Amino acid sequence: MKLVTSESMREIDRMSIETMGIPGIQLMEKAGIGTVRFIERRIPLSRSSRVPVFCGKGNNGGDGFVIARELRRLKVDASVYLLGRRDGVSGDARRAMESLGPELVTEIAEDEPSDELAEAMDRSDFIIDALFGTGFQGAPRDASGKLIEMMNASTQPVLSVDVPSGLNASTGEIQGACVKATWTCTMALPKRGFYLHPGKGLVGLLHVVDIGIPDEAVEAVGVDENVLTDPEAARLLPDRPPDGHKGTFGKVVVVAGSVGYTGAAALSSMSALRTGAGLVYLCVPESLNDILETKLTEVITRPMPETPSRTLSRDALSPITEMLQDADAAVIGPGLSRDQETEGLVRALMQRVDVPCVLDADGLNALSQGLLSSRGGRAPLVLTPHPGEMSRLIGSSVTEVQKDRPEVARCVAAATRAAVLLKGAPSVVAGTDGRSYLNPNGSSGLASAGTGDVLTGVIAALLCRGMDAVDAAALGAFIHGRAGDIAAEAMGEAGMVAGDVMLSVPQALMEIEEARL
């Protein structure tokens, strides 16, 4: 599903109204009616239900007027409060207010809201926030800030219309008071700020209301940022033919491991199997082979020449290259160490890899600031750095990386001709064709050693089935995040570990596959 900023949504609205001739009031009517349909499905309503609707003077308030009118038609006691004066409402919002009946609208003075409003909130079944929409920036002032604080202090749930008031829809930033919504009914398309912190924690349950925006308007604006939904993820999942065999489902060669980091090698290789790869071969330093054979039953280990520090040596180049010739995808990097000879091996391998490859962890560190010159073949490549690895890759600080993670990912994707998955909250995926994704799931439970190795294995299994690099990275992040959510639900975010995420991957796949039905 496309993600929009406040600027792109404004342009989509303008094109729909001015170029395609859709009346603005028609969009507003559909927004309000669609929100009420959501309320009817989610929230028990009766003639005794009390719902205060707080409206601003702009189009977001206009949506609120339509919602109040429709609730009153359902015999719900919907009380409407306007932040400002009725004569300050204009355009489509005024038409919506007139269809409700201006006499039903109570003005809230620009000074402090009264305690009576707080009491009305506490006596309600739920509260509707229609103060500010997608165009809001900055901090709510005076009465609006106080009103938002009252909503948050209330004991009742809040439904925000389009955007929780006070939230920057483009960046997810807040600069003052912001509604903490229980539900958000957003119009036409989800907003980018809903998936960036701190905004992500304020949206609550998100529902997208179809208001009849033409696809042509979205395409004309050129929206390239996306978020996967379950049905979209299900469509991306490779089919598994019932007469398939190990070769059908692909062979992954993993180059990983060193003393102290056998876990990284085990997690990445086993996660590829858990995601559906047919065969996984693990190339490890020869003195660690017995350890990994003990750790792993289903993965085929291959002992390789090693350095005196028991890391992979340059002499491993020829046998690994030979194995890659018969592979469908490769993983290079988990737990390889920063040994100089091993880093030289990585650089040499990157000149020879002609199969889809995931480059992670010490594989990325080995190529810091030299990835473009070190890359040989043109096979699909996925880079999976965390912010520290990304900072080394581009020669910048972690602070600079974190300032605009989506833009950093896009720039590195363009420079390296690779799909880039910048890990974090949220993970960001960018491709060379301009497409990008914000991953919608996952939690702090994934902030644990080894979870990135699980992600690497998941992506490799998708690549070995012939998936496009950007799609494999985006779907891999989605599967990984869902598996993390499953693990967190079972044992809590604090206590879960990477192995729990890996063991939850099959259930995550089953849940996503159910969206095909």
Side-chain angles (χ1 to χ4, degrees):
M1 183 177 288
K2 298 291 187 183
L3 281 182
V4 290
T5 62
S6 57
E7 294 80 7
S8 58
M9 191 67 236
R10 187 183 307 116
E11 182 62 14
I12 290 168
D13 281 337
R14 187 195 67 77
M15 288 197 68
S16 299
I17 295 167
E18 297 180 9
T19 305
M20 300 179 181
I22 301 174
I25 189 64
Q26 178 178 314
L27 299 176
M28 190 172 287
E29 286 284 329
K30 288 188 174 183
I33 293 170
T35 300
V36 173
R37 297 295 172 264
F38 170 83
I39 292 170
E40 289 183 284
R41 291 193 301 271
R42 281 280 174 177
I43 308 168
L45 294 175
S46 68
R47 294 193 177 193
S48 63
S49 297
R50 295 179 177 179
V51 183
V53 183
F54 293 93
C55 299
K57 294 184 291 185
N59 285 342
N60 194 246
D63 295 345
F65 296 139
V66 176
I67 292 167
R69 186 195 70 207
E70 294 301 305
L71 287 174
R72 292 178 73 88
R73 285 180 178 173
L74 295 171
K75 307 304 181 185
V76 172
D77 181 8
S79 303
V80 185
Y81 299 91
L82 172 65
L83 188 61
R85 297 181 59 83
R86 287 188 290 270
D87 59 13
V89 179
S90 61
D92 293 328
R94 184 163 192 85
R95 293 178 66 182
M97 183 176 70
E98 289 171 348
S99 74
L100 165 69
E103 71 280 359
L104 298 175
V105 177
T106 301
E107 296 176 347
I108 301 174
E110 291 298 328
D111 55 6
E112 297 246 332
S114 68
D115 292 338
E116 292 179 6
L117 287 179
E119 293 173 6
M121 293 181 196
D122 287 337
R123 289 195 306 268
S124 69
D125 291 80
F126 65 97
I127 300 161
I128 292 180
D129 154 41
L131 292 176
F132 303 125
T134 56
F136 178 82
Q137 294 184 17
R141 298 179 181 177
D142 304 325
S144 60
K146 180 65 174 178
L147 196 54
I148 289 170
E149 290 172 357
M150 284 182 173
M151 291 186 201
N152 289 340
S154 172
T155 57
Q156 302 308 317
V158 179
L159 184 148
S160 286
V161 179
D162 208 13
V163 179
S165 291
L167 176 66
N168 186 309
S170 297
T171 67
E173 295 174 312
I174 55 173
Q175 296 182 17
C178 182
V179 170
K180 183 173 176 58
T182 310
W183 312 276
T184 297
C185 284
T186 199
M187 307 311 157
L189 293 163
K191 312 307 181 284
R192 185 175 185 261
F194 295 168
Y195 299 93
L196 299 170
H197 290 284
K200 187 174 182 179
L202 300 170
V203 174
L205 176 68
L206 178 64
H207 175 70
V208 179
V209 179
D210 182 0
I211 62 173
I213 293 287
D215 291 341
E216 295 81 0
V218 180
E219 292 169 4
V221 172
V223 178
D224 290 322
E225 200 160 41
N226 306 271
V227 61
L228 280 182
T229 63
D230 274 19
E232 290 168 339
R235 286 194 291 273
L236 286 175
L237 271 178
D239 292 328
R240 290 184 67 83
D243 59 346
H245 51 78
K246 293 190 293 289
T248 305
F249 303 119
K251 179 191 294 184
V252 178
V253 172
V254 179
V255 181
S258 62
V259 175
Y261 295 97
T262 57
L267 286 166
S268 55
S269 55
M270 195 64 202
S271 294
L273 282 177
R274 289 282 181 185
T275 310
L279 287 161
V280 176
Y281 290 86
L282 174 59
C283 301
V284 294
E286 56 190 349
S287 66
L288 302 180
N289 187 72
D290 289 351
I291 295 170
L292 283 157
E293 282 201 341
T294 302
K295 280 179 177 281
L296 301 166
T297 303
E298 297 86 356
V299 174
I300 303 165
T301 62
R302 287 287 184 264
M304 292 287 162
E306 63 180 32
T307 66
S309 58
R310 300 169 69 193
T311 67
L312 289 172
S313 79
R314 181 67 183 247
D315 292 338
L317 178 61
S318 179
I320 293 175
T321 301
E322 185 175 344
M323 291 186 67
L324 289 174
Q325 290 174 357
D326 193 35
D328 297 295
V331 168
I332 300 176
L336 279 180
S337 85
R338 299 299 302 273
D339 183 275
Q340 289 187 0
E341 185 173 345
T342 306
E343 290 186 343
L345 169 68
V346 171
R347 289 190 285 271
L349 278 173
M350 291 307 299
Q351 290 286 338
R352 300 188 180 197
V353 173
D354 284 321
V355 297
C357 179
V358 186
L359 190 65
D360 184 35
D362 289 326
L364 289 166
N365 290 329
L367 271 63
S368 292
Q369 301 183 57
L371 178 60
L372 191 59
S373 60
S374 299
R375 187 178 176 190
R378 293 194 175 270
L381 177 64
V382 179
L383 312 180
T384 58
H386 58 56
E389 290 161 348
M390 179 63 91
S391 71
R392 290 189 286 275
L393 196 63
I394 65 175
S396 184
S397 67
V398 172
T399 301
E400 287 300 313
V401 169
Q402 295 291 70
K403 275 184 181 178
D404 192 344
R405 294 159 45 78
E407 181 60 22
V408 168
R410 281 191 289 269
C411 289
V412 173
T416 60
R417 309 189 308 273
V420 174
L421 194 164
L422 176 55
K423 292 180 280 198
S427 291
V428 178
V429 174
T432 57
D433 58 0
R435 281 184 299 153
S436 63
Y437 291 83
L438 297 183
N439 191 57
N441 53 25
S443 69
S444 69
L446 293 173
S448 176
T451 58
D453 302 312
V454 175
L455 173 61
T456 293
V458 171
I459 297 170
L462 299 174
L463 284 175
C464 82
R465 297 298 310 282
M467 284 190 68
D468 166 85
V470 178
D471 288 342
L475 180 58
F478 190 85
I479 294 168
H480 180 255
R482 175 63 63 82
D485 291 342
I486 292 167
E489 186 174 352
M491 58 196 64
E493 294 179 14
M496 58 186 275
V497 295
D500 302 321
V501 180
M502 180 187 72
L503 292 175
S504 299
V505 166
Q507 184 177 339
L509 289 169
M510 288 191 296
E511 290 184 3
I512 294 167
E513 285 171 347
E514 287 174 359
R516 284 176 169 165
L517 303 178

